[in-house]
Amino acid sequence: MSTLLKARIADVFEEPGCDKNQGKSEKERKKGCTAQLAPGAAAGGCAFDGAKIALQPIADVAHLVHGPIACEGNSWDNRHSASSGPQIYRTGFTTDINELDVIYGGEKRLFKSIREILEKYDPPAVFVYQTCVTALIGDDIEAVCQRASEKFGKPIIPVNAPGFAGIKNLGNKLGAEALLDYVIGTVEPEFTTPYDINIIGEYNLVGELWQVKPLLDALGIRILCCMAGDGRYKEIASAHRAKVNMMVCSKSMINIATKMEKRWGIPYFEGSFYGIGDMSDSLRQIARLLVQQGAPDELLGRTERLIAVEEARAYQRIEQYKQRLSGKRVLLITGGVKSWSVVAALQEAGLEIVGTSVKKSTKEDKQKIKEIMGDDAHMIDNMTPREMYNMLRDARADIMLSGGRSQFVALKARMPWLDINQERYHPYAGYEGMVELVSQIDRALSNPVWQQVRMPAPWGDDGETLGAVATSAPQATDQQATRFLSEVAAHALGLVPEEVPA
Amino acid sequence: MAHVVDIKKACAVNPLKMSQPLGASLAFLGLDACMPVMHGSQGCTSFGLVLLVRHFKEAIPLQTTAMNEVTSILGGYDNIEAALLNIRKRAAPHIIAICSTGLTETKGDDVEGYLVTIRKRHPELADTEIVYASTPDYVGGFEDGYRVAVTAIVRTLVKPLPRQTDQVTLLPGSHLSPADITELREIIEAFGLSVIVLPDVSGSLDGHIPPDWRGTTLGGTSLQDIRAAGASALTLAVGEQTREAALALQDIAGTPFEMFDRLTGLEVNDRFLQCLSQLSGRPVPAKYRRQRSQLLDAMLDGHFYTGGIKVAMAAEPDLLLAVGSLLHEMGAELRCCVSTTKSASHALLPAPTVILGDLEDLERGAADCDLIVTHSHGRQAAERLDKPLLRIGFPVFDRVGNAHRCLVGYRGTMALIFEVANLMIDQIKHHHADDWPLSPEALRAAAPVATPTPTGLAVASA
């Protein structure tokens, strides 16, 4: 790994805005966030994956992966980050290096690739991602990008986050560093207003940003740029002129917020769009900070009036589900999304949380969960699939909410499951999104298919009913099974049961 | 007889190809109680895992040696050792199957050497078989990885045994779905033969609900069956990619083999059944004679919609050959064919050229075609060109039921013909009453003359 990259990783680990980091001793902090992974017992993405996730939602640039086919060929086109216009970010570009490149170096191929992309697709910028193999053979993507920028007169941005550098979260941060080093502050916006904000760490999955944007629009607040959901290169390049930064949820890109505060004096706050209370708090915070930065006072009053109207409307719409959902138990296995904001939202609908994972939560997050759920909150640090399966099979939960990777744990236990991670199809942000989430949970729970799939086979060899069968359901014995079959046969033959030959 | 063109682009745009380790992992997933491991950084495994999950809609056991920047430089011995011990402790698989990745191959990890040392140092691993396949990401593609892995399974685990005259080994290519394998097994068993499928994803990835949770593969070829392959009287190899493993079986156990470069289509299935009939000394069962007759009828019904259509296809070599040949036999013209990697299959493809390229090449070649045939990543191109897309191969992540889609045998061939024909029927334009308006001139000419006065006057009044 280059000294440059090493220094940058050390810098990212020092992150003053990360509470979790600041809670560690100095020695521990030096070791950074890369928990040593256990070979043969590890799962999840790598640093390259993290960088790509963080930056790919920038919709109008070409994202070029410099490496062998695995890195892009196996991963492109698998996330639902929506764009309101350009589609080039969905095109997979890779140098697909071969054996000769590994031996002689892939820099020439990379340079040619950049030229081909500019000639054929003419994007405002190209992002070049480093990967393990090209880093290992020593390809200097920074130098190639600099040369290409000079030669072609377009920004070519190196993103130096090879997979072996660490875990996905580190990659998010390294991706953010690339924006800080090469993009933010390089372009002046055409005009500014006292109501300009940036949203950082929001990826517009299934268009969630658009559930929030109308609220901001109504208040006259302009999203100068969103990093990176539905983002545009020029907007991000001019982000340094915003009045306020909002960090959404996960701390994946907190280094952008802290460094923008240092460089351009832009205050930031951490908020969430998930949960009714959280959505309102975020609007308040934005308004408060904007006023503090010089926007007229009247913004605060307008914000409160909007919140009152929207909250009342949302609660009224959730009310219709409350009766059916009250007392239903939810097992929550979340990753990056702050668990407590979803917890609060679900309780608003009368659901009971039997457990929530806190794998990526900070100390404060855990404290908040305790406040909301009480001291007996069942917090799960790291649950194995078998434990999840057993929990569901024993029907200690009625539904599991998680990311796609653990979906089959629920489905194989014949229990309802709802995707709340990045591959999902339904948007859950803002007031709209919470109503949607509750309605999806209701839809999943009330689907008659669960009765169907838990029905034991009449001939009794599907003995494993997974404890999910209602106790009143008839348990098929051999005798019953035979009787059942003879009745079916009788109907089919048009006979009465007595006449069926044994 | 297609001419192969290797596109000289520096940048692959919208890759068709996937990596060797991913193909190898699919092969390993067809072994029972197995834990496949990619020797590389976490992302290598994570990307492959996501694709497999989205295609099969199943939990996929797949592990990583979680290489980091230090172990990448110093070598991955410790990671492999730790991975083997961890996996044995956590999941107790019968087989741990390791494939390398670009990272560890670039470094030059001597995994075979590592395994010898680990075996010596850890007698507790004696009850676990370990298979290793060398599959650098920067060489070949998905199909190559599968080929290397199946060969490695055979070379590591099969030993010669006394000949069983009624037992055959079936080597399915990576383009065969669980349903395809089930279909072939049923056909073979209908001749009174017993069959060992190697590897057998129909046991592990056919979408069933197991009674309990297991960390390893659930079903597939058992270790016992893999070993028993050394007793088979004949190897049936489906797809050029299985030739190497068939040769290895011949080498190790002296088993002769029959190559079937595809089993989609009428004539190839005739040959397949003929072969089984000769081996077993039994006539072709009535069921298949009936299916053959149904297929003939389906071909007649379908050809109206497939005859003369121009097709743009992109797939791994053996699948390209299977589906491309059938379309050709049904009267379609293979206008643009894109493949991922070099293969002897290309020589048999009834198309003028095969491009070793990407989906950008497909999109360009598809401009004047009537049908696009490729995996789910082709949906963007199909949308842009506003043309129907027949999804084939791996990954198909935006459709359910991939495990149960059968494209082999008379029955599978028939299903594919119907699928293509129905797609084309959807494209038939429905006409409306006002689709063919007359020209203004024609209308004027046909208009009734207003008054029977001399022409000059009528013009003046108009």
Side-chain angles (χ1 to χ4, degrees):
Chain A
M1 197 182 322
S2 67
T3 34
L4 190 73
L5 177 56
K6 247 185 196 155
R8 190 166 300 166
I9 290 175
D11 178 44
V12 164
F13 286 158
E14 272 299 330
E15 183 45 62
C18 176
D19 312 336
K20 193 162 181 172
N21 211 10
Q22 292 307 307
K24 295 177 187 167
S25 73
E26 200 181 328
K27 201 174 160 195
E28 264 183 79
R29 197 154 62 233
K30 262 193 191 144
K31 276 193 217 148
C33 310
T34 43
Q36 278 305 310
L37 299 164
C46 56
F48 156 70
D49 191 15
K52 188 92 186 294
I53 292 166
L55 302 182
Q56 186 157 27
I58 304 172
D60 58 350
V61 309
H63 299 269
L64 168 60
V65 176
H66 183 42
I69 194 65
C71 308
E72 181 71 350
N74 293 359
S75 74
W76 73 285
D77 190 23
N78 70 357
R79 280 170 203 277
H80 305 264
S81 177
S83 160
S84 56
Q87 294 294 320
I88 189 172
Y89 73 117
R90 292 180 65 203
T91 301
F93 294 104
T94 175
T95 50
D96 179 15
I97 60 160
N98 58 33
E99 275 167 307
L100 288 179
D101 298 316
V102 170
I103 294 162
Y104 295 111
E107 292 176 351
K108 275 197 184 131
R109 181 186 285 270
L110 174 58
F111 189 81
K112 279 189 206 157
S113 295
I114 294 168
R115 189 175 59 208
E116 283 175 13
I117 291 171
L118 292 174
E119 280 168 1
K120 281 191 283 194
Y121 296 90
D122 193 34
V126 179
F127 281 46
V128 175
Y129 297 81
Q130 182 66 294
T131 62
C132 292
V133 172
T134 48
L136 201 61
I137 62 175
D139 279 4
D140 187 344
I141 65 161
E142 273 100 353
V144 174
C145 288
Q146 196 189 344
R147 175 84 187 94
S149 299
E150 285 160 10
K151 172 111 182 178
F152 305 122
K154 281 221 169 145
I156 312 297
I157 313 298
V159 181
N160 200 351
F164 59 63
I167 55 169
K168 197 149 72 174
N169 182 269
L170 173 65
N172 297 150
K173 293 195 167 90
L174 291 175
E177 287 293 313
L179 294 184
L180 285 162
D181 285 351
Y182 297 99
V183 185
I184 300 171
T186 59
V187 170
E188 289 302 323
E190 279 168 28
F191 64 97
T192 58
T193 78
Y195 301 99
D196 288 353
I197 64 164
N198 296 322
I199 300 179
I200 300 167
E202 160 59 49
Y203 303 111
N204 196 30
L205 298 172
V206 278
E208 276 182 336
L209 182 62
W210 301 324
Q211 293 183 313
V212 174
K213 192 169 175 289
L215 299 165
L216 299 172
D217 288 346
L219 293 169
I221 295 167
R222 175 168 79 145
I223 304 175
L224 187 61
C225 99
C226 177
M227 289 178 227
D230 201 15
R232 301 291 183 276
Y233 184 77
K234 262 196 166 164
E235 291 172 7
I236 293 174
S238 62
H240 60 300
R241 294 301 176 211
K243 301 291 185 290
V244 171
N245 276 339
M246 171 174 176
M247 261 313 298
V248 176
C249 282
S250 143
K251 297 194 167 172
S252 58
M253 300 222 279
I254 186 140
N255 43 339
I256 291 190
T258 53
K259 285 189 180 155
M260 286 185 80
E261 184 170 44
K262 215 152 108 194
R263 287 184 202 171
W264 292 287
I266 305 171
Y268 75 93
F269 77 98
E270 286 178 55
S272 164
F273 294 140
Y274 297 112
I276 290 171
D278 287 21
M279 182 64 229
S280 303
D281 282 349
S282 294
L283 288 176
R284 279 190 194 103
Q285 288 263 38
I286 291 171
R288 188 180 61 80
L289 285 174
L290 281 173
V291 169
Q292 186 189 307
Q293 291 282 89
D297 272 356
E298 51 83 47
L299 177 61
L300 297 174
R302 288 197 288 126
T303 305
E304 285 305 329
R305 287 195 292 277
L306 176 69
I307 288 172
V309 171
E310 285 292 323
E311 281 198 354
R313 181 162 175 269
Y315 281 125
Q316 193 204 341
R317 290 163 73 195
I318 286 174
E319 186 67 32
Q320 56 176 319
Y321 300 103
K322 235 175 178 168
Q323 203 186 351
R324 287 209 299 220
L325 293 182
S326 83
K328 294 283 188 207
R329 289 155 302 170
V330 179
L331 176 61
L332 197 56
I333 309 285
T334 61
V337 180
K338 274 185 182 166
S339 298
W340 50 267
S341 44
V342 179
V343 168
L346 298 183
Q347 287 185 333
E348 277 159 12
L351 290 153
E352 189 187 314
I353 319 288
V354 291
T356 177
S357 78
V358 287
K359 208 166 145 191
K360 292 183 187 170
S361 303
T362 62
K363 226 184 260 172
E364 289 75 36
D365 290 340
K366 289 183 190 174
Q367 191 51 42
K368 277 201 180 106
I369 294 174
K370 271 192 184 164
E371 278 167 29
I372 300 169
M373 295 171 60
D375 270 343
D376 54 343
H378 190 155
M379 287 190 263
I380 306 144
D381 250 321
N382 208 352
M383 204 179 205
T384 68
R386 190 185 298 278
E387 286 163 346
M388 287 183 218
Y389 180 84
N390 287 341
M391 191 157 185
L392 289 163
R393 193 184 61 172
D394 300 345
R396 280 179 279 148
D398 295 302
I399 185 170
M400 180 165 98
L401 310 189
S402 77
R405 245 199 302 255
S406 37
Q407 65 178 298
F408 301 107
V409 173
L411 297 180
K412 297 293 179 192
R414 308 178 210 198
M415 292 301 284
W417 169 80
L418 196 63
D419 195 346
I420 52 165
N421 217 340
Q422 56 234 356
E423 287 101 11
R424 65 173 180 260
Y425 292 105
H426 304 285
Y428 296 138
Y431 305 108
E432 282 300 319
M434 266 315 115
V435 178
E436 176 70 25
L437 174 65
V438 172
S439 89
Q440 287 298 330
I441 291 176
D442 179 57
R443 219 176 102 175
L445 278 171
S446 62
N447 194 321
V449 75
W450 302 113
Q451 302 307 315
Q452 297 289 315
V453 297
R454 292 169 200 164
M455 240 188 279
W459 48 90
D461 68 350
D462 186 7
E464 184 57 71
T465 57
L466 302 154
V469 179
T471 42
S472 60
Q475 288 293 317
T477 62
D478 281 354
Q479 209 184 1
Q480 274 177 323
T482 330
R483 182 147 24 95
F484 177 83
L485 284 177
S486 57
E487 278 167 18
V488 172
H491 276 286
L493 296 168
L495 304 170
V496 289
E498 290 81 1
E499 287 171 323
V500 183
Chain B
M1 176 72 199
H3 170 61
V4 179
V5 180
D6 198 350
I7 290 270
K8 295 280 177 236
K9 286 197 289 196
C11 176
V13 183
N14 292 339
L16 167 72
K17 188 166 73 169
M18 282 152 294
S19 72
Q20 279 210 94
L22 184 51
S25 300
L26 179 68
F28 294 148
L29 287 167
L31 308 182
D32 186 36
C34 172
M35 177 63 87
V37 184
M38 284 192 195
H39 180 37
S41 89
Q42 278 209 96
C44 304
T45 302
S46 162
F47 293 150
L49 186 71
V50 168
L51 274 191
L52 288 162
V53 165
R54 295 183 78 204
H55 178 87
F56 287 106
K57 316 276 190 258
E58 286 298 319
I60 302 288
L62 189 58
Q63 261 303 336
T64 169
T65 55
M67 298 290 283
N68 60 35
E69 82 280 13
V70 176
T71 53
S72 295
I73 304 300
L74 299 182
Y77 174 85
D78 291 341
N79 289 56
I80 291 200
E81 185 180 50
L84 289 173
L85 297 176
N86 262 329
I87 291 168
R88 191 189 167 278
K89 201 171 87 195
R90 286 159 48 102
H94 296 165
I95 304 168
I96 300 176
I98 305 173
C99 54
S100 60
T101 63
L103 174 62
T104 51
E105 289 281 353
T106 306
K107 159 65 179 67
D109 271 5
D110 174 18
V111 179
E112 272 160 353
Y114 294 170
L115 291 176
V116 172
T117 314
I118 292 169
R119 280 276 188 220
K120 269 190 209 141
R121 286 172 57 174
H122 295 283
E124 68 266 37
L125 286 170
D127 60 355
T128 313
E129 290 288 356
I130 302 171
V131 175
Y132 170 66
S134 164
T135 50
D137 294 317
Y138 46 77
V139 179
F142 187 87
E143 203 181 276
D144 298 291
Y146 184 89
R147 169 173 54 79
V148 171
V150 179
T151 311
I153 295 166
V154 169
R155 291 229 174 263
T156 316
L157 301 173
V158 179
K159 303 279 179 292
L161 290 168
R163 186 73 65 243
Q164 297 275 335
T165 51
D166 62 346
Q167 178 188 306
V168 297
T169 303
L170 173 69
L171 299 176
S174 59
H175 57 307
L176 298 196
S177 72
D180 287 333
I181 293 174
T182 303
E183 180 75 10
L184 295 181
R185 176 190 286 112
E186 279 174 17
I187 294 173
I188 296 168
E189 285 174 352
F191 286 86
L193 300 164
S194 73
V195 54
I196 290 170
V197 185
L198 184 66
D200 183 8
V201 291
S202 80
S204 51
L205 296 173
D206 64 335
H208 62 285
I209 305 244
D212 199 2
W213 187 261
R214 257 164 76 184
T216 62
T217 51
L218 320 140
T221 324
S222 68
L223 189 52
Q224 202 185 348
D225 276 354
I226 301 172
R227 290 182 176 137
S232 288
L234 180 70
T235 302
L236 300 163
V238 186
E240 180 60 35
Q241 60 190 298
T242 59
R243 183 184 294 273
E244 206 173 304
L247 282 167
L249 279 171
Q250 191 179 49
D251 208 20
I252 293 165
T255 323
F257 68 90
E258 280 286 334
M259 266 312 294
F260 297 90
D261 45 70
R262 61 184 166 117
L263 280 179
T264 303
L266 178 70
E267 185 270 334
V268 282
N269 278 294
D270 288 351
R271 192 162 74 80
F272 184 59
L273 292 181
Q274 181 68 12
C275 169
L276 292 172
S277 174
Q278 279 167 359
L279 181 73
S280 64
R282 292 192 191 190
V284 173
K287 176 181 171 185
Y288 296 109
R289 293 165 190 243
R290 180 77 173 179
Q291 278 188 10
R292 188 178 191 284
S293 161
Q294 289 169 335
L295 172 58
L296 290 175
D297 190 56
M299 291 173 86
L300 294 171
D301 292 346
H303 85 283
F304 294 109
Y305 311 101
T306 53
I309 59 168
K310 294 187 283 288
V311 178
M313 284 187 79
E316 299 275 338
D318 282 342
L319 183 61
L320 191 67
L321 179 66
V323 178
S325 300
L326 177 70
L327 289 174
H328 172 76
E329 284 154 8
M330 291 295 295
E333 178 195 342
L334 304 184
R335 177 64 65 93
C336 168
C337 291
V338 184
S339 177
T340 53
T341 180
K342 290 193 172 71
S343 165
S345 288
H346 297 325
L348 305 170
L349 193 71
T353 48
V354 183
I355 299 167
L356 297 183
D358 52 34
L359 293 180
E360 185 191 55
D361 302 323
L362 178 79
E363 194 166 341
R364 295 189 168 196
D368 66 341
C369 287
D370 304 298
L371 175 68
I372 296 176
V373 182
T374 188
H375 54 49
S376 284
H377 285 304
R379 72 201 197 289
Q380 294 191 35
E383 259 167 49
R384 280 190 286 266
L385 296 172
D386 192 22
K387 290 183 194 297
L389 171 66
L390 175 73
R391 287 165 176 81
I392 55 157
F394 177 89
V396 174
F397 48 72
D398 53 354
R399 288 289 183 274
V400 291
N402 298 315
H404 298 284
R405 193 160 166 234
C406 176
L407 304 181
V408 300
Y410 295 134
R411 203 170 60 91
T413 305
M414 188 166 77
L416 182 58
I417 289 170
F418 289 152
E419 208 180 332
V420 176
N422 287 333
L423 262 182
M424 298 321 297
I425 288 172
D426 280 342
Q427 301 304 310
I428 297 173
K429 284 201 177 70
H430 291 278
H431 294 294
H432 300 282
D434 49 3
D435 273 357
W436 294 275
L438 288 180
S439 66
E441 292 81 6
L443 287 173
R444 263 199 302 277
V449 182
T451 44
T453 48
T455 327
L457 268 177
V459 168
S461 69

